[in-house]
Amino acid sequence: MGVVTLDQVERQIARGFRFLRFSPDIEAAFRRDYVAERVRLAVIWGVIGTLIYDLVYFGDRTMMADVFTALVFARFLVFTPFVIACILTVRRWRNALLYDSLSVAIAVMGVTLPMLAATQSASPYLFVYQNGNSAAFLFFVIALRPRFPAVLVGLTLMCASHFTTTQMTGAFDAVTYSGIVTFYVTLSIFLAVSAYFLEQKDRQNFLNQLRAGLLYGQLERNAERDELTGLLNRRSLARICEGLWSGGKHKTVAAILLDIDHFKRFNDVHGHIEGDACLRAVSRCIRDTVDEASFVFRFGGEEMLVLSVDREPFAALAMAERIRVAIEGLAMRHRGLDDGCVTVSLGVALAAPAETTLEQLLCDADSALYEAKRMGRNTVALAGETLIDARVA
């Protein structure tokens, strides 16, 4: 199951969904939202619907006295436990198809049970009694609100059940029976059309909400990223470090501050367009080199910052060295250095959050960076010590 993107949503909105179907990823997201909303209301509608259904007990006793026992059994010992089981089932297994199927089953059972008992009745009130099933049709479409295909299936089965059991009573002549059929067919058509437009509206609202959420997320991401390099910016640095320095979860935080060697000269010789391309290439190389647990920021003009937690000093130095080697391995031409290549100098500092501040950690990393430059650049230096292995571009 893929992640829905803003482009996918925009294309879906432009294309429309006449047949009440989205592209696969968006349809999957809609089904999750649909079933979450229906399950949330399942208990409410289950209680209300069952209460109304069982309150017809009083009508059963007055209009259908000769089959009253059978109706009590159907309502209280069959239908009510079945609805409770359906509610527990959809709350346990949250699946859109399961919800639709159980909704249809509840609706068909709700129509069928009282009419089955009515087939054995000689009551003179059968015409009035059978009209009560119209409430089941309305409840199915308006309250349970399954998806449109399930509505069509449910209404068809409900009509078939009602027409069959009504005919089985033998209480109605052909004209009366045709009137009953006409009424329920007309009701079903109106309900089906209403269900179609209701779901169309639900789907449009879902798309609009999904688009708004993705736009908001994109704005948040853009607000925390440098526009040129795509790295995290100073705003995100403050937010992330607030988390790193709170709660005492981390033993150490390692800061790797790096600077592109002779970058001003690169801009002077190559121009600012190539200078921007160089920054992007270096940024991409850093992101590809560090692990997923590290945060990479654009700290200044050509300065980048990597923060990593719970590392030993040699592990932090090893990461810095990997970055240095990877950038040197890009072999980006630097004509301002006698046809040398682009390199970086790196300063590494480590500290326990409980014992220092972010500002002090960055100052230590900056001091180490200056030491690396003093040693000839294209070098890694550790705050308070010098790393060994200086290389000149």
Side-chain angles (χ1 to χ4, degrees), residues 256-258 285 289-290 306 313-329 344-348 372 377-381 387-391:
I256 302 172
L257 191 61
L258 63 97
C285 183
T289 303
V290 301
V306 179
F314 281 108
L317 288 169
M319 179 184 288
E321 178 64 11
R322 286 197 303 273
I323 294 171
R324 188 199 65 76
V325 170
I327 293 172
E328 186 177 29
V344 293
S345 300
L346 305 96
V348 182
R377 295 183 170 85
N378 192 21
T379 301
V380 178
L387 191 105
I388 6 290
D389 203 8
R391 298 170 178 82

PDB file of all heavy atoms in Angstrom, residues 256-258 285 289-290 306 313-329 344-348 372 377-381 387-391:
ATOM      1  N   ILE A 256      29.012  17.429  14.091  1.00  0.00           N
ATOM      2  CA  ILE A 256      30.043  17.492  13.042  1.00  0.00           C
ATOM      3  C   ILE A 256      29.754  18.740  12.216  1.00  0.00           C
ATOM      4  O   ILE A 256      28.753  18.813  11.511  1.00  0.00           O
ATOM      5  CB  ILE A 256      30.004  16.239  12.141  1.00  0.00           C
ATOM      6  CG1 ILE A 256      30.195  14.969  12.968  1.00  0.00           C
ATOM      7  CG2 ILE A 256      31.063  16.338  11.049  1.00  0.00           C
ATOM      8  CD1 ILE A 256      29.985  13.687  12.169  1.00  0.00           C
ATOM      9  N   LEU A 257      30.617  19.722  12.345  1.00  0.00           N
ATOM     10  CA  LEU A 257      30.461  20.971  11.606  1.00  0.00           C
ATOM     11  C   LEU A 257      31.469  20.957  10.464  1.00  0.00           C
ATOM     12  O   LEU A 257      32.668  20.749  10.680  1.00  0.00           O
ATOM     13  CB  LEU A 257      30.714  22.165  12.534  1.00  0.00           C
ATOM     14  CG  LEU A 257      30.342  23.548  12.000  1.00  0.00           C
ATOM     15  CD1 LEU A 257      28.857  23.640  11.677  1.00  0.00           C
ATOM     16  CD2 LEU A 257      30.721  24.630  13.027  1.00  0.00           C
ATOM     17  N   LEU A 258      30.993  21.155   9.249  1.00  0.00           N
ATOM     18  CA  LEU A 258      31.907  21.095   8.099  1.00  0.00           C
ATOM     19  C   LEU A 258      31.730  22.309   7.213  1.00  0.00           C
ATOM     20  O   LEU A 258      30.663  22.932   7.174  1.00  0.00           O
ATOM     21  CB  LEU A 258      31.698  19.798   7.310  1.00  0.00           C
ATOM     22  CG  LEU A 258      30.327  19.570   6.656  1.00  0.00           C
ATOM     23  CD1 LEU A 258      30.373  19.976   5.199  1.00  0.00           C
ATOM     24  CD2 LEU A 258      29.927  18.107   6.767  1.00  0.00           C
ATOM     25  N   CYS A 285      25.431  14.497  -0.950  1.00  0.00           N
ATOM     26  CA  CYS A 285      26.450  13.516  -0.586  1.00  0.00           C
ATOM     27  C   CYS A 285      26.451  13.262   0.923  1.00  0.00           C
ATOM     28  O   CYS A 285      26.560  12.122   1.374  1.00  0.00           O
ATOM     29  CB  CYS A 285      27.816  14.009  -1.043  1.00  0.00           C
ATOM     30  SG  CYS A 285      29.155  12.839  -0.723  1.00  0.00           S
ATOM     31  N   THR A 289      25.524   9.756   2.945  1.00  0.00           N
ATOM     32  CA  THR A 289      26.619   9.121   3.684  1.00  0.00           C
ATOM     33  C   THR A 289      26.262   8.838   5.135  1.00  0.00           C
ATOM     34  O   THR A 289      26.639   7.805   5.688  1.00  0.00           O
ATOM     35  CB  THR A 289      27.883  10.003   3.619  1.00  0.00           C
ATOM     36  OG1 THR A 289      28.224  10.235   2.245  1.00  0.00           O
ATOM     37  CG2 THR A 289      29.053   9.342   4.314  1.00  0.00           C
ATOM     38  N   VAL A 290      25.561   9.763   5.777  1.00  0.00           N
ATOM     39  CA  VAL A 290      25.229   9.572   7.194  1.00  0.00           C
ATOM     40  C   VAL A 290      24.120   8.530   7.328  1.00  0.00           C
ATOM     41  O   VAL A 290      23.423   8.208   6.369  1.00  0.00           O
ATOM     42  CB  VAL A 290      24.802  10.896   7.860  1.00  0.00           C
ATOM     43  CG1 VAL A 290      25.901  11.932   7.749  1.00  0.00           C
ATOM     44  CG2 VAL A 290      23.501  11.417   7.248  1.00  0.00           C
ATOM     45  N   VAL A 306      26.016  18.207  11.121  1.00  0.00           N
ATOM     46  CA  VAL A 306      25.430  16.882  11.341  1.00  0.00           C
ATOM     47  C   VAL A 306      25.344  16.651  12.842  1.00  0.00           C
ATOM     48  O   VAL A 306      26.340  16.794  13.556  1.00  0.00           O
ATOM     49  CB  VAL A 306      26.273  15.774  10.677  1.00  0.00           C
ATOM     50  CG1 VAL A 306      25.646  14.406  10.936  1.00  0.00           C
ATOM     51  CG2 VAL A 306      26.418  16.024   9.181  1.00  0.00           C
ATOM     52  N   PRO A 313      33.237   8.607  20.708  1.00  0.00           N
ATOM     53  CA  PRO A 313      34.058   9.556  19.937  1.00  0.00           C
ATOM     54  C   PRO A 313      34.598   8.986  18.636  1.00  0.00           C
ATOM     55  O   PRO A 313      34.540   9.652  17.597  1.00  0.00           O
ATOM     56  CB  PRO A 313      35.188   9.901  20.916  1.00  0.00           C
ATOM     57  CG  PRO A 313      34.578   9.706  22.274  1.00  0.00           C
ATOM     58  CD  PRO A 313      33.632   8.559  22.128  1.00  0.00           C
ATOM     59  N   PHE A 314      35.086   7.751  18.661  1.00  0.00           N
ATOM     60  CA  PHE A 314      35.658   7.200  17.436  1.00  0.00           C
ATOM     61  C   PHE A 314      34.586   6.925  16.382  1.00  0.00           C
ATOM     62  O   PHE A 314      34.842   7.014  15.187  1.00  0.00           O
ATOM     63  CB  PHE A 314      36.454   5.922  17.751  1.00  0.00           C
ATOM     64  CG  PHE A 314      37.809   6.213  18.324  1.00  0.00           C
ATOM     65  CD1 PHE A 314      38.075   5.963  19.662  1.00  0.00           C
ATOM     66  CD2 PHE A 314      38.812   6.752  17.521  1.00  0.00           C
ATOM     67  CE1 PHE A 314      39.331   6.255  20.202  1.00  0.00           C
ATOM     68  CE2 PHE A 314      40.063   7.031  18.055  1.00  0.00           C
ATOM     69  CZ  PHE A 314      40.322   6.787  19.396  1.00  0.00           C
ATOM     70  N   ALA A 315      33.367   6.618  16.822  1.00  0.00           N
ATOM     71  CA  ALA A 315      32.273   6.421  15.868  1.00  0.00           C
ATOM     72  C   ALA A 315      31.917   7.745  15.193  1.00  0.00           C
ATOM     73  O   ALA A 315      31.652   7.801  13.982  1.00  0.00           O
ATOM     74  CB  ALA A 315      31.052   5.836  16.572  1.00  0.00           C
ATOM     75  N   ALA A 316      31.917   8.837  15.976  1.00  0.00           N
ATOM     76  CA  ALA A 316      31.637  10.150  15.398  1.00  0.00           C
ATOM     77  C   ALA A 316      32.744  10.559  14.431  1.00  0.00           C
ATOM     78  O   ALA A 316      32.481  11.104  13.339  1.00  0.00           O
ATOM     79  CB  ALA A 316      31.490  11.186  16.512  1.00  0.00           C
ATOM     80  N   LEU A 317      33.995  10.303  14.824  1.00  0.00           N
ATOM     81  CA  LEU A 317      35.125  10.621  13.939  1.00  0.00           C
ATOM     82  C   LEU A 317      35.067   9.787  12.663  1.00  0.00           C
ATOM     83  O   LEU A 317      35.358  10.283  11.568  1.00  0.00           O
ATOM     84  CB  LEU A 317      36.439  10.357  14.674  1.00  0.00           C
ATOM     85  CG  LEU A 317      36.787  11.362  15.775  1.00  0.00           C
ATOM     86  CD1 LEU A 317      37.958  10.848  16.599  1.00  0.00           C
ATOM     87  CD2 LEU A 317      37.116  12.715  15.178  1.00  0.00           C
ATOM     88  N   ALA A 318      34.679   8.534  12.804  1.00  0.00           N
ATOM     89  CA  ALA A 318      34.586   7.669  11.626  1.00  0.00           C
ATOM     90  C   ALA A 318      33.517   8.179  10.662  1.00  0.00           C
ATOM     91  O   ALA A 318      33.703   8.164   9.437  1.00  0.00           O
ATOM     92  CB  ALA A 318      34.270   6.232  12.053  1.00  0.00           C
ATOM     93  N   MET A 319      32.394   8.663  11.210  1.00  0.00           N
ATOM     94  CA  MET A 319      31.359   9.222  10.341  1.00  0.00           C
ATOM     95  C   MET A 319      31.873  10.467   9.630  1.00  0.00           C
ATOM     96  O   MET A 319      31.654  10.659   8.424  1.00  0.00           O
ATOM     97  CB  MET A 319      30.100   9.568  11.149  1.00  0.00           C
ATOM     98  CG  MET A 319      28.985  10.187  10.292  1.00  0.00           C
ATOM     99  SD  MET A 319      27.549  10.710  11.232  1.00  0.00           S
ATOM    100  CE  MET A 319      26.866   9.103  11.659  1.00  0.00           C
ATOM    101  N   ALA A 320      32.563  11.331  10.366  1.00  0.00           N
ATOM    102  CA  ALA A 320      33.121  12.535   9.755  1.00  0.00           C
ATOM    103  C   ALA A 320      34.110  12.182   8.645  1.00  0.00           C
ATOM    104  O   ALA A 320      34.123  12.807   7.573  1.00  0.00           O
ATOM    105  CB  ALA A 320      33.798  13.390  10.821  1.00  0.00           C
ATOM    106  N   GLU A 321      34.923  11.182   8.885  1.00  0.00           N
ATOM    107  CA  GLU A 321      35.890  10.760   7.871  1.00  0.00           C
ATOM    108  C   GLU A 321      35.187  10.193   6.635  1.00  0.00           C
ATOM    109  O   GLU A 321      35.613  10.437   5.506  1.00  0.00           O
ATOM    110  CB  GLU A 321      36.853   9.741   8.471  1.00  0.00           C
ATOM    111  CG  GLU A 321      37.892   9.181   7.496  1.00  0.00           C
ATOM    112  CD  GLU A 321      38.866  10.232   6.960  1.00  0.00           C
ATOM    113  OE1 GLU A 321      38.887  11.369   7.489  1.00  0.00           O
ATOM    114  OE2 GLU A 321      39.600   9.911   6.007  1.00  0.00           O
ATOM    115  N   ARG A 322      34.105   9.465   6.856  1.00  0.00           N
ATOM    116  CA  ARG A 322      33.345   8.943   5.707  1.00  0.00           C
ATOM    117  C   ARG A 322      32.781  10.082   4.865  1.00  0.00           C
ATOM    118  O   ARG A 322      32.771  10.023   3.635  1.00  0.00           O
ATOM    119  CB  ARG A 322      32.209   8.032   6.179  1.00  0.00           C
ATOM    120  CG  ARG A 322      32.662   6.669   6.680  1.00  0.00           C
ATOM    121  CD  ARG A 322      31.489   5.685   6.733  1.00  0.00           C
ATOM    122  NE  ARG A 322      30.388   6.145   7.570  1.00  0.00           N
ATOM    123  CZ  ARG A 322      30.314   5.936   8.876  1.00  0.00           C
ATOM    124  NH1 ARG A 322      31.297   5.281   9.509  1.00  0.00           N
ATOM    125  NH2 ARG A 322      29.279   6.365   9.569  1.00  0.00           N
ATOM    126  N   ILE A 323      32.308  11.118   5.540  1.00  0.00           N
ATOM    127  CA  ILE A 323      31.783  12.278   4.820  1.00  0.00           C
ATOM    128  C   ILE A 323      32.891  12.945   4.006  1.00  0.00           C
ATOM    129  O   ILE A 323      32.712  13.295   2.831  1.00  0.00           O
ATOM    130  CB  ILE A 323      31.154  13.285   5.812  1.00  0.00           C
ATOM    131  CG1 ILE A 323      29.910  12.685   6.474  1.00  0.00           C
ATOM    132  CG2 ILE A 323      30.805  14.596   5.102  1.00  0.00           C
ATOM    133  CD1 ILE A 323      29.356  13.511   7.613  1.00  0.00           C
ATOM    134  N   ARG A 324      34.052  13.136   4.659  1.00  0.00           N
ATOM    135  CA  ARG A 324      35.176  13.774   3.959  1.00  0.00           C
ATOM    136  C   ARG A 324      35.587  12.992   2.723  1.00  0.00           C
ATOM    137  O   ARG A 324      35.745  13.542   1.632  1.00  0.00           O
ATOM    138  CB  ARG A 324      36.374  13.890   4.917  1.00  0.00           C
ATOM    139  CG  ARG A 324      37.533  14.700   4.353  1.00  0.00           C
ATOM    140  CD  ARG A 324      38.825  14.416   5.085  1.00  0.00           C
ATOM    141  NE  ARG A 324      39.279  13.033   4.897  1.00  0.00           N
ATOM    142  CZ  ARG A 324      39.856  12.594   3.784  1.00  0.00           C
ATOM    143  NH1 ARG A 324      40.053  13.408   2.746  1.00  0.00           N
ATOM    144  NH2 ARG A 324      40.239  11.332   3.690  1.00  0.00           N
ATOM    145  N   VAL A 325      35.700  11.679   2.876  1.00  0.00           N
ATOM    146  CA  VAL A 325      36.117  10.831   1.758  1.00  0.00           C
ATOM    147  C   VAL A 325      35.067  10.842   0.653  1.00  0.00           C
ATOM    148  O   VAL A 325      35.400  10.904  -0.543  1.00  0.00           O
ATOM    149  CB  VAL A 325      36.374   9.398   2.256  1.00  0.00           C
ATOM    150  CG1 VAL A 325      36.575   8.444   1.075  1.00  0.00           C
ATOM    151  CG2 VAL A 325      37.587   9.356   3.178  1.00  0.00           C
ATOM    152  N   ALA A 326      33.775  10.796   1.033  1.00  0.00           N
ATOM    153  CA  ALA A 326      32.704  10.762   0.032  1.00  0.00           C
ATOM    154  C   ALA A 326      32.676  12.042  -0.792  1.00  0.00           C
ATOM    155  O   ALA A 326      32.505  12.000  -2.020  1.00  0.00           O
ATOM    156  CB  ALA A 326      31.358  10.545   0.723  1.00  0.00           C
ATOM    157  N   ILE A 327      32.868  13.183  -0.128  1.00  0.00           N
ATOM    158  CA  ILE A 327      32.842  14.449  -0.872  1.00  0.00           C
ATOM    159  C   ILE A 327      34.072  14.577  -1.760  1.00  0.00           C
ATOM    160  O   ILE A 327      33.983  15.000  -2.913  1.00  0.00           O
ATOM    161  CB  ILE A 327      32.732  15.629   0.113  1.00  0.00           C
ATOM    162  CG1 ILE A 327      31.361  15.588   0.802  1.00  0.00           C
ATOM    163  CG2 ILE A 327      32.939  16.957  -0.606  1.00  0.00           C
ATOM    164  CD1 ILE A 327      31.192  16.562   1.930  1.00  0.00           C
ATOM    165  N   GLU A 328      35.214  14.170  -1.242  1.00  0.00           N
ATOM    166  CA  GLU A 328      36.408  14.182  -2.078  1.00  0.00           C
ATOM    167  C   GLU A 328      36.232  13.243  -3.272  1.00  0.00           C
ATOM    168  O   GLU A 328      36.686  13.529  -4.387  1.00  0.00           O
ATOM    169  CB  GLU A 328      37.629  13.758  -1.258  1.00  0.00           C
ATOM    170  CG  GLU A 328      38.949  13.893  -2.015  1.00  0.00           C
ATOM    171  CD  GLU A 328      40.139  13.527  -1.133  1.00  0.00           C
ATOM    172  OE1 GLU A 328      39.963  12.691  -0.216  1.00  0.00           O
ATOM    173  OE2 GLU A 328      41.236  14.071  -1.354  1.00  0.00           O
ATOM    174  N   GLY A 329      35.512  12.139  -3.029  1.00  0.00           N
ATOM    175  CA  GLY A 329      35.281  11.172  -4.095  1.00  0.00           C
ATOM    176  C   GLY A 329      34.353  11.669  -5.185  1.00  0.00           C
ATOM    177  O   GLY A 329      34.293  11.085  -6.270  1.00  0.00           O
ATOM    178  N   VAL A 344      36.213  19.257   1.868  1.00  0.00           N
ATOM    179  CA  VAL A 344      35.638  19.894   3.057  1.00  0.00           C
ATOM    180  C   VAL A 344      36.556  19.681   4.250  1.00  0.00           C
ATOM    181  O   VAL A 344      37.313  18.713   4.302  1.00  0.00           O
ATOM    182  CB  VAL A 344      34.237  19.331   3.384  1.00  0.00           C
ATOM    183  CG1 VAL A 344      33.227  19.711   2.307  1.00  0.00           C
ATOM    184  CG2 VAL A 344      34.269  17.833   3.594  1.00  0.00           C
ATOM    185  N   SER A 345      36.455  20.604   5.193  1.00  0.00           N
ATOM    186  CA  SER A 345      37.113  20.454   6.491  1.00  0.00           C
ATOM    187  C   SER A 345      36.021  20.228   7.524  1.00  0.00           C
ATOM    188  O   SER A 345      34.935  20.810   7.432  1.00  0.00           O
ATOM    189  CB  SER A 345      37.914  21.700   6.837  1.00  0.00           C
ATOM    190  OG  SER A 345      38.917  21.936   5.870  1.00  0.00           O
ATOM    191  N   LEU A 346      36.313  19.378   8.520  1.00  0.00           N
ATOM    192  CA  LEU A 346      35.282  18.987   9.480  1.00  0.00           C
ATOM    193  C   LEU A 346      35.791  19.092  10.903  1.00  0.00           C
ATOM    194  O   LEU A 346      36.920  18.697  11.206  1.00  0.00           O
ATOM    195  CB  LEU A 346      34.813  17.545   9.226  1.00  0.00           C
ATOM    196  CG  LEU A 346      34.310  17.217   7.815  1.00  0.00           C
ATOM    197  CD1 LEU A 346      35.438  16.599   6.987  1.00  0.00           C
ATOM    198  CD2 LEU A 346      33.127  16.259   7.876  1.00  0.00           C
ATOM    199  N   GLY A 347      34.939  19.649  11.781  1.00  0.00           N
ATOM    200  CA  GLY A 347      35.228  19.691  13.207  1.00  0.00           C
ATOM    201  C   GLY A 347      34.208  18.865  13.961  1.00  0.00           C
ATOM    202  O   GLY A 347      33.004  18.953  13.704  1.00  0.00           O
ATOM    203  N   VAL A 348      34.676  18.044  14.883  1.00  0.00           N
ATOM    204  CA  VAL A 348      33.809  17.130  15.621  1.00  0.00           C
ATOM    205  C   VAL A 348      33.866  17.460  17.099  1.00  0.00           C
ATOM    206  O   VAL A 348      34.953  17.659  17.665  1.00  0.00           O
ATOM    207  CB  VAL A 348      34.241  15.665  15.401  1.00  0.00           C
ATOM    208  CG1 VAL A 348      33.302  14.711  16.147  1.00  0.00           C
ATOM    209  CG2 VAL A 348      34.283  15.335  13.911  1.00  0.00           C
ATOM    210  N   ALA A 372      40.932  22.204  11.934  1.00  0.00           N
ATOM    211  CA  ALA A 372      41.086  21.414  10.706  1.00  0.00           C
ATOM    212  C   ALA A 372      41.565  22.287   9.548  1.00  0.00           C
ATOM    213  O   ALA A 372      42.401  21.876   8.736  1.00  0.00           O
ATOM    214  CB  ALA A 372      39.760  20.734  10.359  1.00  0.00           C
ATOM    215  N   ARG A 377      43.250  21.955   5.755  1.00  0.00           N
ATOM    216  CA  ARG A 377      41.971  21.640   5.114  1.00  0.00           C
ATOM    217  C   ARG A 377      41.890  20.183   4.647  1.00  0.00           C
ATOM    218  O   ARG A 377      42.852  19.459   4.726  1.00  0.00           O
ATOM    219  CB  ARG A 377      41.668  22.611   3.975  1.00  0.00           C
ATOM    220  CG  ARG A 377      41.466  24.054   4.446  1.00  0.00           C
ATOM    221  CD  ARG A 377      41.085  24.960   3.284  1.00  0.00           C
ATOM    222  NE  ARG A 377      40.664  26.275   3.767  1.00  0.00           N
ATOM    223  CZ  ARG A 377      41.467  27.283   4.057  1.00  0.00           C
ATOM    224  NH1 ARG A 377      42.779  27.112   3.892  1.00  0.00           N
ATOM    225  NH2 ARG A 377      41.014  28.433   4.497  1.00  0.00           N
ATOM    226  N   ASN A 378      40.687  19.815   4.144  1.00  0.00           N
ATOM    227  CA  ASN A 378      40.401  18.434   3.752  1.00  0.00           C
ATOM    228  C   ASN A 378      40.801  17.484   4.878  1.00  0.00           C
ATOM    229  O   ASN A 378      41.442  16.455   4.673  1.00  0.00           O
ATOM    230  CB  ASN A 378      41.134  18.061   2.458  1.00  0.00           C
ATOM    231  CG  ASN A 378      40.618  16.732   1.882  1.00  0.00           C
ATOM    232  OD1 ASN A 378      39.514  16.304   2.205  1.00  0.00           O
ATOM    233  ND2 ASN A 378      41.424  16.095   1.050  1.00  0.00           N
ATOM    234  N   THR A 379      40.415  17.878   6.112  1.00  0.00           N
ATOM    235  CA  THR A 379      40.882  17.194   7.319  1.00  0.00           C
ATOM    236  C   THR A 379      39.747  17.139   8.337  1.00  0.00           C
ATOM    237  O   THR A 379      38.864  17.993   8.327  1.00  0.00           O
ATOM    238  CB  THR A 379      42.072  17.960   7.926  1.00  0.00           C
ATOM    239  OG1 THR A 379      43.108  18.027   6.956  1.00  0.00           O
ATOM    240  CG2 THR A 379      42.599  17.283   9.178  1.00  0.00           C
ATOM    241  N   VAL A 380      39.817  16.162   9.216  1.00  0.00           N
ATOM    242  CA  VAL A 380      38.883  16.056  10.334  1.00  0.00           C
ATOM    243  C   VAL A 380      39.646  16.357  11.618  1.00  0.00           C
ATOM    244  O   VAL A 380      40.741  15.829  11.830  1.00  0.00           O
ATOM    245  CB  VAL A 380      38.264  14.641  10.416  1.00  0.00           C
ATOM    246  CG1 VAL A 380      37.326  14.534  11.615  1.00  0.00           C
ATOM    247  CG2 VAL A 380      37.529  14.299   9.128  1.00  0.00           C
ATOM    248  N   ALA A 381      39.046  17.194  12.474  1.00  0.00           N
ATOM    249  CA  ALA A 381      39.657  17.492  13.777  1.00  0.00           C
ATOM    250  C   ALA A 381      38.623  17.300  14.866  1.00  0.00           C
ATOM    251  O   ALA A 381      37.426  17.569  14.664  1.00  0.00           O
ATOM    252  CB  ALA A 381      40.200  18.910  13.799  1.00  0.00           C
ATOM    253  N   LEU A 387      42.870  15.436  14.903  1.00  0.00           N
ATOM    254  CA  LEU A 387      42.836  14.127  14.239  1.00  0.00           C
ATOM    255  C   LEU A 387      43.980  14.052  13.249  1.00  0.00           C
ATOM    256  O   LEU A 387      43.913  14.563  12.204  1.00  0.00           O
ATOM    257  CB  LEU A 387      41.525  13.915  13.550  1.00  0.00           C
ATOM    258  CG  LEU A 387      41.402  12.492  13.105  1.00  0.00           C
ATOM    259  CD1 LEU A 387      40.479  11.743  13.990  1.00  0.00           C
ATOM    260  CD2 LEU A 387      40.946  12.365  11.717  1.00  0.00           C
ATOM    261  N   ILE A 388      44.987  13.851  13.477  1.00  0.00           N
ATOM    262  CA  ILE A 388      45.814  12.918  12.751  1.00  0.00           C
ATOM    263  C   ILE A 388      45.610  13.049  11.245  1.00  0.00           C
ATOM    264  O   ILE A 388      44.767  13.566  10.889  1.00  0.00           O
ATOM    265  CB  ILE A 388      45.385  11.476  13.182  1.00  0.00           C
ATOM    266  CG1 ILE A 388      44.267  11.468  14.007  1.00  0.00           C
ATOM    267  CG2 ILE A 388      46.557  10.753  13.481  1.00  0.00           C
ATOM    268  CD1 ILE A 388      43.671  11.683  15.085  1.00  0.00           C
ATOM    269  N   ASP A 389      45.930  12.608  10.397  1.00  0.00           N
ATOM    270  CA  ASP A 389      45.588  12.418   8.993  1.00  0.00           C
ATOM    271  C   ASP A 389      45.122  13.688   8.298  1.00  0.00           C
ATOM    272  O   ASP A 389      43.996  13.778   7.869  1.00  0.00           O
ATOM    273  CB  ASP A 389      44.503  11.356   8.882  1.00  0.00           C
ATOM    274  CG  ASP A 389      44.540  10.762   7.508  1.00  0.00           C
ATOM    275  OD1 ASP A 389      45.467  11.062   6.741  1.00  0.00           O
ATOM    276  OD2 ASP A 389      43.659  10.001   7.209  1.00  0.00           O
ATOM    277  N   ALA A 390      45.975  14.684   8.226  1.00  0.00           N
ATOM    278  CA  ALA A 390      45.628  15.889   7.475  1.00  0.00           C
ATOM    279  C   ALA A 390      45.913  15.661   6.001  1.00  0.00           C
ATOM    280  O   ALA A 390      46.881  15.034   5.647  1.00  0.00           O
ATOM    281  CB  ALA A 390      46.460  17.061   7.987  1.00  0.00           C
ATOM    282  N   ARG A 391      45.051  16.241   5.193  1.00  0.00           N
ATOM    283  CA  ARG A 391      45.234  16.125   3.750  1.00  0.00           C
ATOM    284  C   ARG A 391      45.042  17.500   3.140  1.00  0.00           C
ATOM    285  O   ARG A 391      44.172  18.237   3.539  1.00  0.00           O
ATOM    286  CB  ARG A 391      44.249  15.134   3.139  1.00  0.00           C
ATOM    287  CG  ARG A 391      44.432  13.709   3.674  1.00  0.00           C
ATOM    288  CD  ARG A 391      43.289  12.815   3.230  1.00  0.00           C
ATOM    289  NE  ARG A 391      43.474  11.446   3.683  1.00  0.00           N
ATOM    290  CZ  ARG A 391      43.166  11.030   4.893  1.00  0.00           C
ATOM    291  NH1 ARG A 391      42.720  11.859   5.790  1.00  0.00           N
ATOM    292  NH2 ARG A 391      43.359   9.777   5.235  1.00  0.00           N
TER     293      ARG A 391
END
